[in-house]
Amino acid sequence: RARATIAKKGKGRAASGGKAEGSSSDAMAGQPTIASFFAPAPGRDHRKEAPTPTTRPSSGNAGANKAKRAVGIGIGLKAQAPSDVSGKKRKEAPKPNAKSAAGSARPAELKGFELAAEKPAPEVPKAAEVVVVEEVAEDPPKTAACKELAGKRIRVWWSAEKEWFAGTVRAASRAGDKVRVDYDDGDVEWVVLAKRKHEFVGEDPALQTDEALEEAKEKTKSRASKRRRMTLIAEDDDDDDGMEDSLSEEDLGSDSDYSGDGGEGASEDDDEDGDDDDESMEEAEPVDVDGARKQKRRAAPKKSNKGLRLGASPGTPSQPILSQQSNQTSAAVPAASSPAAHAAHAPKSPLTGREKARAAKKLAAAADGGGSGGRNFEERAHQRFKFLRPENIKDASGRRKGDPLYDASTLHIPAGWFKQEKVSPGQQQWWTFKSENFDSVLLFKMGKFYEMYEMDAHVGVEHLGLLYMKGDQPHCGFPEKAYASNAEKLARKGFKVIVVEQTETPEQLAERNRKRKKAGMGVDKVVNREKVAVLSPGTLFDYEMVRNTRGCSYIVAVAEGGDFQIGVSAVDVTTGKMILGQLADNASRSKLTTFLAAINPVEVVVPKGGGSEEDASVTEDTRAMLCRALPGAKLTELIPGDQFWAGSRALEEASGYFEGGALPETLRELRDKGAAIALSALGGIVSFLQRSLLDKAVLPVCQFEVLPEDGIPRLADDEQGARLDASALSNLEIVENAEGSKEGTLLSQLDHCVSGPGHRLLREWLLHPLRNVESIVARQRAVEELRQSGLADDFHAGLKGIPDLERSLTRMAASSVGSGRERDGVVLYEDSCGRRLRAFLATLRGFKKLQILLVRLESERRWESTLLARLLSSLEWAELESLETKFDWVKAERDGQVTPVGFPQYDDAVAKIEEVGEEVQAYLDEVWSKVRGKGTFTGEEMEVAEKTDVPTDWELTSQRKGKGAVRRYQTRELREILQRRTMAEEQKERALREYLRSLVAGFCRHHENFQRAVEVSAQIDVLCSLSMVGDGWCQPNFVQADRGTFRAKALSHPNSGADFVPNDLDLGGEKSFALLTGPNMGGKSTIMRQVCLATILAQIGAPVPARSCELTPVDAIFVRMGARDSIFTGQSTWNVELSDCNSMLQQATPHSLVVLDEFGRGTATSDGIALAAAVMRWLVNRRCLSLFSTHYHLLAQEAGEDVMLWHMACEVDEKDDVTFLYKIRQGVCPSSYGVNVARLAGLPAGVLNRASEVIKMNE
């Protein structure tokens, strides 16, 4: 097989695309095969970058004057085994002929690439020879069995991993300066002792124990995994630069160790001058950009052809593996894509030989289904995992899927299966977690990587664009720094993600095994791991996962009792807000539908069917309604009783999260009212939070809000807001349009808020308009004063630099209890303590900026608005000022740690470090007296000149040759002292973490004060936003009257442009019902929407798009527009229309606004007219403020003197062409002009003529 690598100094690691062999068909003659571009991973020998035939060798490489061997591998050339290569440089392969067929091959020719299993790659005629790359390596030294070194145990320091790795010396040079190390993980490397930090440990019996060997093997597992990841790309310098130029700066990750979403960038530390520093050998980890692995380079990008970009897409998903069906996860196997299919995406320009190599590598990844290498994962799974076949799947309790209490989150693994299939200890641990979380995707931490195995690997390949690792087992993964982005992607796609972290280092495992062995217990072979986080659409909590979203992400639990009593409990974990209540609903679940439309939950929790009568439940009708109302939400079913708790257990569990076990007033109120169904819904939420490991982070700081039985939330000072039902929210497009976005909605027109809390509060105001006139007028005066003062822009400018403090408060509460990956004991390679400190400082600085901003706003003027004056004077900043004196914020940010003051644990640790330091100095003073000449202590080793005589008990650990040669030593006594120093330093680190946690906990104890500051800033943010709405809008006047009134001059639409036709309206008083007729497309629906939107704007305190406006506040707005059916519930269009109409007839009061658009059109004309007339009369008698549009002109004859008759004006010329005037006129329109409008729509003339004839006959 031919080999294609790019040489890097340090430890060369690669992951080939499997044992792909070239096709032996005649059609492939003269064409390069995929197999010729791949090779096994190189060994641990030092490799230098070789010059290609078209470039000069670099003069900057270290050791350029040494003898080298170069293996020129080209297509059609035979590759020699490394052992057959002599120390002399081989003859270089000929340069590729630019005019040859291979050099000018177009993408169409690449369609012939195929994979042929178990067949050698055929040789290609010389005319098609293309040089891929050359491999150059140093000659290994001539080995000799050195009696002093051979067979010794050695530890070598790897700077990339910042760890020691153990092995055995098998050979050494005659001079003893180079040794061949056979590492415990199977790798082999020649180590130059003078350049590498090392220790000979063969003389230490403690390091020859079984535990030490197991520790060494455990350490090398993650390193071996990394080796499989690395992909080496055959490119020359220009091609590399071109690749960089095709990537964005974000993809390259210029300020990070990782680039893109893939892995760790390569780092080189040249040692060409033989300086004193130990040689740094950094590993190049995979970087996944557009499906292909790339390496980050430090060279400046150059101009290149952007038409060619390396990348391979993973295979298209096909049928699920083993038909694993659960309500959470669907694991699928990507189908292998044909090379021909992917060749169609290749660049259209001719390819050079080098470009062809890159294109072939891209096609290779595509041809094997994202790196599967033609492996039949499905067949392997079918044979190996018989307990996963659909007919065999059981939960942990042995129940099958048909059982009502079947728990889809668990899996039964047959006893003895691990032993029968010879499953490794690490894989046994993975399967244990998987069996406990069968409905989830596991992110299983191993070293610096999150690994995905078996069915989870298919999810990673399909949804994250990862590549399979080689081997028969489905396996992929990504580095620690890509955790936030990849975990968020999976959760937002609807997967439940379980994060399993290491909670033990290999050193701690070795220590634990020593204790277990002394106690006569067995030895564990893998480090401890724990489930630390559960991610789903509603539980995304980390800042990196929610920083780009400002809206709420509610999780709602629903329980149902008799007589349509429905309990609801909703929580947003990012803000800590919880709403719970018990609704007295009806058969159509209109109140529940309205509540769900208002909070728009992303996740719904319901009890599973099959429980006892005492357990929580939901009916099939309610389930169907949930599916209809929330088609995009994730549904989670919990077993009633065990997982979805009854009210009594819910209160018992909830009390444990509050100081002294005292329940909050809100929960006591529900308990005293006997709201058992609401408390059962609370049990569902508390259980869900416990299972999601967020209970301790969220519940203690929850802001509870009770939802009354009527479903209308109580606002400030126990005020009752106006009701907007689900139909009104949908038809008026207040916060979301028909496509599910915010474009064109009322919210988008008003939202100039710059803070997350402000944005969320404005949405709440729109969903729950005020009814109390005094509260509305207070907002109006505040908006007007902010507009006149011109301070709104200044306040927004200052607020832009402040983070989302509402979410920061919740994260600080989680940090104070060690939630998620910040839990004590979790092994992270990133600086988790530093990250926690930065988050804390960002929160403190955010509140400090907010304090300065609000204090400055208060002092700007003497505010006449009572609302603004009250808000600005209600804040308390004493705790924030106290935190400024407890530690230096600037110093903490600069040093990356908080220096404790008066903290005993820290003081003790510092004293121990000083004590050990004195002990080290005393020991050094003693040993230096035994040595002639001057020596130095490096912090770990004693360093002396090379020829210095030292005591016999000194152990050589490392040395440096050449000019200024030195040797470094340690002794057993020194190692013991240094071990005590390490323990003291670890104690100091623990004390620092504990001190930081105590500061955060102290901050969280004053959560209510800081939450108040957030609420004040959010209200002022919204008021400033309302002061910036469209020019020419007016502040409406509210009047108190027994009957509803709405009067407006030049009323427009909030989203209208300059050419919009305004209208004057006078509705209410003695005549509160208006019957509106007019032609199709004449503007009837628009005028009704204008009235509704103007009412909402007026009642949240905002200006209205009119010259003047006067109205009475309404208690509810009911809207019925459009025609739609409900497939989920089996309701026809007419059925849905009647259901909506029934809801408004049952709930409307004389102070409600009712809008009906063409009611009665869903059935026969006679039935429709009859029902429309009856509904009209009912609303007239109810004295609701009503707008009723219709094409049933007979209704005008039924209207009495208490009904106003309006129509939308139009003009019809002699050619029967209709011109819409969009103006309201008194009286009834003579016709709907349906045929005329049909002519505008372009219907055929024959159809129009026949329609006109029918009309004349009926007239």
Side-chain angles (χ1 to χ4, degrees):
R1 293 178 302 187
R3 171 175 296 183
T5 66
I6 182 170
K8 288 287 184 181
K9 183 174 182 178
K11 199 168 186 179
R13 295 186 171 192
S16 67
K19 296 181 180 180
E21 303 293 345
S23 171
S24 60
S25 63
D26 295 337
M28 293 295 294
Q31 294 290 341
T33 62
I34 292 178
S36 63
F37 292 91
F38 292 89
R44 264 196 174 96
D45 49 338
H46 298 265
R47 304 199 182 278
K48 308 296 180 180
E49 191 162 339
T52 66
T54 56
T55 57
R56 291 186 303 170
S58 172
S59 60
N61 288 340
N65 56 340
K66 297 181 179 180
K68 301 178 181 179
R69 62 178 174 88
V71 183
I73 300 298
I75 294 177
L77 299 181
K78 295 181 179 179
Q80 270 187 308
S83 59
D84 297 334
V85 181
S86 65
K88 297 181 180 180
K89 188 172 182 180
R90 290 186 55 195
K91 183 179 179 180
E92 292 185 353
K95 296 182 180 180
N97 186 354
K99 297 181 181 180
S100 67
S104 61
R106 294 183 179 271
E109 301 175 16
L110 295 179
K111 295 182 180 180
F113 285 118
E114 296 179 357
L115 291 175
E118 304 302 331
K119 292 183 180 180
E123 295 189 6
V124 183
K126 190 172 182 180
E129 290 180 351
V130 179
V131 174
V132 178
V133 79
E134 291 182 339
E135 183 185 74
V136 180
E138 288 184 359
D139 235 348
K142 296 180 179 179
T143 61
C146 180
K147 295 181 180 179
E148 295 182 0
L149 297 177
K152 275 197 172 185
R153 294 285 295 170
I154 187 172
R155 293 200 308 166
V156 181
W157 175 258
W158 280 93
S159 57
E161 288 89 353
K162 295 182 173 59
E163 288 185 4
W164 295 92
F165 294 99
T168 304
V169 176
R170 294 303 181 191
S173 63
R174 290 188 177 91
D177 57 341
K178 296 182 181 180
V179 295
R180 196 191 82 181
V181 179
D182 288 9
Y183 287 91
D184 293 336
D185 66 349
D187 280 353
V188 178
E189 179 192 29
W190 282 93
V191 175
V192 182
L193 297 179
K195 293 184 178 181
R196 298 290 298 280
K197 188 176 180 181
H198 64 280
E199 289 181 359
F200 287 100
V201 295
E203 299 173 5
D204 190 346
L207 292 169
Q208 291 291 334
T209 62
D210 294 339
E211 290 85 349
L213 294 176
E214 287 294 334
E215 174 187 350
K217 291 178 181 178
E218 182 65 27
K219 276 187 176 183
T220 57
K221 286 181 181 178
S222 63
R223 193 157 48 98
S225 176
K226 293 177 187 177
R227 183 177 64 253
R228 294 194 301 272
R229 282 185 172 82
M230 194 176 90
T231 299
L232 301 175
I233 301 171
E235 293 177 319
D236 57 17
D237 288 343
D238 291 337
D239 287 333
D240 282 344
D241 295 335
M243 178 187 72
E244 278 197 336
D245 193 43
S246 68
L247 299 176
S248 65
E249 183 178 353
E250 182 180 355
D251 289 332
L252 288 172
S254 57
D255 59 349
S256 172
D257 292 337
Y258 291 79
S259 53
D261 292 336
E264 191 173 343
S267 174
E268 294 185 10
D269 186 10
D270 291 336
D271 192 26
E272 56 189 82
D273 295 328
D275 55 18
D276 294 344
D277 295 332
D278 291 329
E279 189 175 41
S280 175
M281 323 250 327
E282 298 287 333
E283 290 184 0
E285 298 295 350
V287 179
D288 193 354
V289 182
D290 292 342
R293 306 289 178 122
K294 301 185 178 181
Q295 290 188 8
K296 175 179 171 184
R297 293 175 58 87
R298 293 185 292 182
K302 300 180 182 178
K303 196 79 173 179
S304 67
N305 177 17
K306 296 184 180 181
L308 181 65
R309 183 171 180 176
L310 186 66
S313 302
T316 306
S318 65
Q319 57 269 28
I321 181 171
L322 294 180
S323 301
Q324 179 194 339
Q325 301 294 332
S326 72
N327 61 337
Q328 303 290 343
T329 306
S330 176
V333 184
S337 305
S338 66
H342 287 270
H345 301 287
K348 301 301 181 182
S349 58
L351 301 179
T352 65
R354 185 69 61 188
E355 290 169 342
K356 181 174 290 187
R358 297 171 62 188
K361 184 173 287 292
K362 176 178 178 179
L363 289 175
D368 64 6
S372 65
R375 291 162 288 179
N376 194 338
F377 291 143
E378 189 170 1
E379 178 62 25
R380 168 187 172 273
H382 186 76
Q383 297 297 329
R384 183 177 175 87
F385 309 124
K386 295 180 180 179
F387 59 90
L388 288 180
R389 295 177 184 177
E391 65 274 14
N392 296 335
I393 290 181
K394 300 178 183 177
D395 67 7
S397 300
R399 305 186 193 94
R400 297 188 182 274
K401 285 189 175 182
D403 193 304
L405 297 180
Y406 169 75
D407 185 2
S409 66
T410 63
L411 172 69
H412 170 70
I413 299 178
W417 181 78
F418 289 149
K419 186 175 181 180
Q420 174 187 342
E421 295 293 335
K422 299 180 181 178
V423 181
S424 67
Q427 285 294 295
Q428 289 184 33
Q429 191 182 54
W430 183 89
W431 274 108
T432 300
F433 281 108
K434 188 65 179 178
S435 66
E436 296 168 354
N437 304 275
F438 189 53
D439 60 346
S440 310
V441 176
L442 298 189
L443 299 183
F444 192 75
K445 189 67 169 296
M446 292 188 70
K448 293 183 181 180
F449 283 82
Y450 290 96
E451 308 292 357
M452 304 175 74
Y453 295 101
E454 302 298 349
M455 61 284 289
D456 296 343
H458 306 311
V459 175
V461 170
E462 179 181 355
H463 295 279
L464 300 179
L466 304 177
L467 296 178
Y468 290 113
M469 302 303 161
K470 74 178 195 177
D472 293 334
Q473 181 189 31
H475 172 207
C476 61
F478 54 85
E480 189 176 85
K481 287 196 174 181
Y483 162 77
S485 61
N486 285 328
E488 180 190 359
K489 285 178 188 176
L490 290 176
R492 294 202 184 278
K493 286 175 180 284
F495 291 100
K496 181 180 175 183
V497 181
I498 301 296
V499 183
V500 179
E501 291 283 356
Q502 287 184 203
T503 54
E504 186 179 50
T505 64
E507 291 81 5
Q508 291 170 336
L509 171 63
E511 180 62 27
R512 179 162 61 89
N513 279 335
R514 290 189 185 98
K515 294 179 180 179
R516 290 174 63 89
K517 201 169 183 180
K518 288 180 180 179
M521 302 170 65
V523 175
D524 284 344
K525 297 183 178 180
V526 293
V527 297
N528 281 334
R529 291 180 173 87
E530 293 181 19
K531 180 172 73 172
V532 300
V534 181
L535 306 180
S536 61
T539 61
L540 294 178
F541 192 77
D542 291 354
Y543 169 74
E544 295 83 0
M545 299 181 185
V546 298
R547 61 181 174 183
N548 295 324
T549 60
R550 298 196 299 173
C552 293
S553 299
Y554 277 104
I555 308 164
V556 62
V558 180
E560 190 171 10
D563 298 327
F564 305 113
Q565 293 290 315
I566 297 179
V568 293
S569 180
V571 63
D572 178 9
V573 300
T574 64
T575 62
K577 182 176 181 180
M578 181 178 286
I579 307 170
L580 64 162
Q582 186 165 316
L583 304 175
D585 218 334
N586 49 41
S588 60
R589 279 75 172 176
S590 58
K591 294 178 182 178
L592 176 60
T593 304
T594 298
F595 173 69
L596 296 177
I599 65 172
N600 192 24
V602 296
E603 201 157 354
V604 182
V605 182
V606 296
K608 192 171 183 177
S612 64
E613 294 182 0
E614 294 78 15
D615 293 329
S617 63
V618 291
T619 63
E620 291 301 321
D621 290 341
T622 301
R623 287 176 183 270
M625 186 280 301
L626 292 172
C627 293
R628 171 173 56 87
L630 304 169
K634 179 180 176 63
L635 181 67
T636 300
E637 292 183 312
L638 300 180
I639 297 175
D642 292 339
Q643 299 174 351
F644 201 110
W645 302 327
S648 57
R649 184 177 176 186
L651 290 175
E652 180 183 351
E653 293 281 347
S655 63
Y657 297 99
F658 305 102
E659 188 174 355
L663 290 171
E665 182 180 353
T666 305
L667 300 185
R668 294 199 303 271
E669 178 183 341
L670 288 173
R671 180 194 60 191
D672 297 341
K673 287 182 178 179
I677 309 301
L679 293 177
S680 181
L682 173 67
I685 278 293
V686 174
S687 173
F688 181 87
L689 291 176
Q690 281 190 7
R691 295 167 64 84
S692 300
L693 308 180
L694 286 175
D695 51 323
K696 295 179 181 178
V698 175
L699 290 173
V701 295
C702 256
Q703 309 157 57
F704 292 95
E705 176 185 328
V706 174
L707 187 68
E709 289 189 357
D710 57 10
I712 304 175
R714 297 295 184 263
L715 306 178
D717 301 325
D718 202 31
E719 291 183 10
Q720 190 175 34
R723 177 202 300 274
L724 296 177
D725 68 359
S727 181
L729 296 177
S730 173
N731 289 306
L732 298 178
E733 296 187 339
I734 295 175
V735 295
E736 192 175 86
N737 61 24
E739 288 74 33
S741 69
K742 294 179 176 58
E743 185 177 359
T745 62
L746 184 60
L747 175 62
S748 68
Q749 192 68 20
L750 301 179
D751 190 8
H752 302 287
C753 299
V754 298
S755 69
H759 167 81
R760 293 188 287 271
L761 182 62
L762 175 59
R763 189 179 187 277
E764 289 293 318
W765 283 13
L766 287 172
L767 294 173
H768 309 296
L770 297 172
R771 289 174 55 186
N772 184 280
V773 174
E774 292 182 2
S775 300
I776 297 172
V777 172
R779 283 187 188 174
Q780 287 180 339
R781 290 175 178 172
V783 169
E784 184 63 22
E785 189 169 4
L786 284 169
R787 186 185 66 81
Q788 293 178 356
S789 67
L791 294 175
D793 288 333
D794 293 340
F795 182 79
H796 272 177
L799 204 58
K800 283 182 180 179
I802 298 176
D804 192 331
L805 295 176
E806 187 174 26
R807 287 176 170 172
S808 295
L809 284 175
T810 309
R811 283 196 298 272
M812 288 302 101
S815 180
S816 67
V817 297
S819 177
R821 295 167 75 232
E822 293 184 355
R823 180 187 301 182
D824 282 341
V826 172
V827 179
L828 295 176
Y829 287 87
E830 61 183 13
D831 185 5
S832 57
C833 187
R835 185 183 63 176
R836 190 181 309 176
L837 174 60
R838 289 191 296 271
F840 183 45
L841 289 174
T843 302
L844 293 179
R845 291 188 184 279
F847 275 106
K848 188 61 182 179
K849 289 180 181 179
L850 184 61
Q851 178 193 11
I852 295 172
L853 184 63
L854 292 175
V855 169
R856 188 178 66 188
L857 182 65
E858 183 181 16
S859 62
E860 282 290 338
R861 55 183 292 159
R862 188 173 179 274
W863 294 98
E864 298 178 2
S865 164
T866 56
L867 175 59
L868 286 174
R870 177 169 55 83
L871 289 175
L872 292 171
S873 62
S874 64
L875 300 177
E876 176 61 49
W877 302 105
E879 179 59 26
L880 182 64
E881 294 168 354
S882 172
L883 282 169
E884 287 186 275
T885 62
K886 288 184 178 179
F887 69 98
D888 189 336
W889 296 3
V890 176
K891 185 177 183 298
E893 188 171 25
R894 182 181 65 248
D895 299 343
Q897 67 178 28
V898 179
T899 303
V901 177
F903 195 63
Q905 295 94 318
Y906 178 79
D907 296 338
D908 292 345
V910 171
K912 288 182 180 179
I913 292 175
E914 292 176 353
E915 180 182 342
V916 173
E918 294 175 356
E919 189 176 354
V920 169
Q921 188 59 48
Y923 177 77
L924 292 174
D925 292 341
E926 178 183 351
V927 297
W928 290 137
S929 63
K930 303 176 182 178
V931 178
R932 294 184 179 180
K934 185 178 180 182
T936 58
F937 181 63
T938 64
E940 297 284 342
E941 302 164 311
M942 297 175 291
E943 184 179 283
V944 295
E946 184 178 24
K947 297 182 179 180
T948 305
D949 293 331
V950 298
T952 56
D953 61 339
W954 284 28
E955 301 171 5
L956 179 66
T957 54
S958 64
Q959 61 183 342
R960 185 182 66 231
K961 293 290 186 179
K963 186 178 180 180
V966 296
R967 290 189 176 185
R968 305 183 185 101
Y969 297 88
Q970 277 190 348
T971 64
R972 181 185 299 276
E973 293 82 356
L974 179 60
R975 279 198 297 270
E976 292 175 354
I977 297 174
L978 295 179
Q979 185 177 6
R980 290 196 293 274
R981 185 182 68 179
T982 300
M983 294 175 61
E985 290 171 346
E986 290 176 352
Q987 180 182 346
K988 177 184 174 182
E989 292 299 320
R990 286 194 299 270
L992 288 173
R993 289 194 297 269
E994 186 60 32
Y995 184 71
L996 176 59
R997 181 167 294 176
S998 68
L999 289 176
V1000 176
F1003 171 85
C1004 292
R1005 281 194 290 271
H1006 300 270
H1007 177 273
E1008 292 182 358
N1009 291 339
F1010 292 111
Q1011 182 63 39
R1012 176 60 183 165
V1014 172
E1015 292 172 355
V1016 167
S1017 67
Q1019 289 191 56
I1020 298 177
D1021 187 11
V1022 175
L1023 293 172
C1024 289
S1025 180
L1026 296 181
S1027 72
M1028 300 175 180
V1029 296
D1031 295 333
W1033 292 20
C1034 71
Q1035 284 287 3
N1037 296 322
F1038 283 89
V1039 295
Q1040 296 287 0
D1042 295 335
R1043 296 183 178 181
T1045 301
F1046 184 92
R1047 300 185 184 93
K1049 296 290 186 182
L1051 179 66
S1052 186
H1053 193 282
N1055 290 332
S1056 63
D1059 57 347
F1060 192 87
V1061 179
N1063 273 289
D1064 297 343
L1065 293 175
D1066 189 349
L1067 177 66
E1070 294 299 323
K1071 295 183 178 183
S1072 58
F1073 190 99
L1075 185 66
L1076 183 60
T1077 58
N1080 299 99
M1081 299 173 57
K1084 299 187 297 299
S1085 299
T1086 300
I1087 199 67
M1088 291 191 292
R1089 285 191 175 96
Q1090 287 175 235
V1091 174
C1092 294
L1093 294 177
T1095 302
I1096 293 171
L1097 286 170
Q1099 291 190 211
I1100 68 170
V1104 171
R1107 186 162 55 245
S1108 65
C1109 183
E1110 183 180 84
L1111 72 160
T1112 55
V1114 301
D1115 60 7
I1117 299 177
F1118 299 99
V1119 180
R1120 168 63 210 176
M1121 287 182 175
R1124 67 182 187 278
D1125 58 12
S1126 177
I1127 298 176
F1128 285 106
T1129 58
Q1131 291 179 293
S1132 66
T1133 303
W1134 178 234
N1135 198 342
V1136 172
E1137 190 170 351
L1138 290 175
S1139 178
D1140 289 346
C1141 179
N1142 177 59
S1143 176
M1144 62 178 62
L1145 294 180
Q1146 294 288 341
Q1147 301 178 67
T1149 70
H1151 296 286
S1152 300
L1153 174 60
V1154 177
V1155 170
L1156 276 167
D1157 184 25
E1158 300 181 14
F1159 176 75
R1161 61 185 171 182
T1163 186
T1165 302
S1166 58
D1167 293 341
I1169 292 175
L1171 282 169
V1175 169
M1176 178 181 70
R1177 179 48 51 191
W1178 190 96
L1179 292 173
V1180 170
N1181 295 336
R1182 191 74 169 178
R1183 296 190 179 279
C1184 301
L1185 198 61
S1186 306
L1187 284 170
F1188 194 122
S1189 70
T1190 185
H1191 290 292
Y1192 296 147
H1193 293 176
L1194 290 176
L1195 292 179
Q1197 300 175 11
E1198 296 291 329
E1201 294 182 356
D1202 50 0
V1203 175
M1204 290 186 291
L1205 300 177
W1206 293 349
H1207 74 273
M1208 301 302 297
C1210 64
E1211 293 180 351
V1212 183
D1213 59 18
E1214 62 279 1
K1215 297 181 181 179
D1216 286 339
D1217 290 336
V1218 179
T1219 301
F1220 304 113
L1221 302 180
Y1222 304 112
K1223 278 292 191 180
I1224 289 183
R1225 299 284 187 263
Q1226 297 292 328
V1228 180
C1229 187
S1231 172
S1232 292
Y1233 302 103
V1235 176
N1236 305 71
V1237 176
R1239 182 177 291 107
L1240 292 176
L1243 266 67
V1247 174
L1248 298 174
N1249 294 335
R1250 178 56 183 163
S1252 299
E1253 293 173 1
V1254 173
I1255 290 175
K1256 290 179 181 179
M1257 287 189 298
N1258 291 330
E1259 288 178 349

